[in-house]
Amino acid sequence: MSEVVYQLYTAVNVIYVKMEVKIDTKEKFTVVTPVTPALSANIAAKLAETCSEFLQKEVRNIVLNLEPITEIEPEAAKTLAMLQQSFYENSASFVLCNLKEPIEAAFEQEELLDFMNITPTESEAWDIVQMEEIERELMDGDDIEFEKPE
């Protein structure tokens, strides 16, 4: 297991936004944890870009730990919802965990809460990733053709 802190920069009207994230790679998923307490639309876009890069790696599943986040812009919540959809379209899991009440309320206000894969803890997020991995393996097995006995 390795833990790395990355600094993400994005240009917005020639002003650079800095965001640090911790990245911890496990066997079947990577935990990405923003370090800053606010998640703006610009930072969420950069975070989405970083997470999407994992779709090209061997460990493709992401658990986004939002425990440090105390405020989120509506556009940032929408970006995370679209990111989750992108992961599922690419046969990978994307789970949010450790949301504080104001963050959960922001997802609810944008009518995204019911569509998001959210767990109270990182441990439960790991359970979701494992279940989805098994489900994908079973679904891939549906393509097997059996010969009819004579």
Side-chain angles (χ1 to χ4, degrees):
M1 290 185 250
S2 65
E3 186 174 289
V4 181
V5 175
Y6 288 93
Q7 293 184 355
L8 308 175
Y9 296 92
T10 185
V12 182
N13 298 329
V14 192
I15 297 172
Y16 286 92
V17 177
K18 175 182 165 185
M19 177 182 184
E20 291 184 343
V21 294
K22 287 190 330 185
I23 296 180
D24 186 10
T25 303
K26 311 274 187 186
E27 181 184 352
K28 293 281 187 181
F29 64 96
T30 299
V31 180
V32 177
T33 307
V35 177
T36 56
L39 193 56
S40 69
N42 294 324
I43 292 174
K46 188 64 177 172
L47 182 62
E49 182 181 311
T50 299
C51 289
S52 293
E53 292 173 5
F54 284 91
L55 290 172
Q56 309 307 315
K57 297 184 179 188
E58 185 176 335
V59 178
R60 301 161 35 101
N61 303 311
I62 294 286
V63 171
L64 185 60
N65 184 344
L66 296 181
E67 186 170 21
I69 303 298
T70 57
E71 55 185 277
I72 187 169
E73 291 180 358
E75 281 303 312
K78 291 175 187 174
T79 297
L80 294 181
M82 289 187 297
L83 182 59
Q84 177 180 294
Q85 184 60 37
S86 172
F87 268 74
Y88 285 107
E89 288 171 358
N90 286 283
S91 298
S93 297
F94 185 86
V95 183
L96 304 178
C97 68
N98 294 323
L99 278 70
K100 290 183 172 41
E101 178 58 37
I103 306 308
E104 192 171 319
F107 278 99
E108 182 66 39
Q109 185 174 348
E110 295 301 314
E111 299 181 358
L112 298 170
L113 195 59
D114 292 336
F115 301 103
M116 300 296 295
N117 211 347
I118 298 172
T119 63
T121 66
E122 189 177 310
S123 175
E124 290 169 289
W126 163 235
D127 292 342
I128 296 290
V129 170
Q130 281 191 315
M131 288 189 302
E132 289 178 347
E133 282 282 311
I134 292 168
E135 184 179 286
R136 282 190 286 272
E137 287 174 15
L138 291 173
M139 297 300 284
D140 288 344
D142 285 347
D143 296 337
I144 299 173
E145 292 186 26
F146 296 97
E147 291 184 29
K148 293 181 182 178
E150 295 182 24

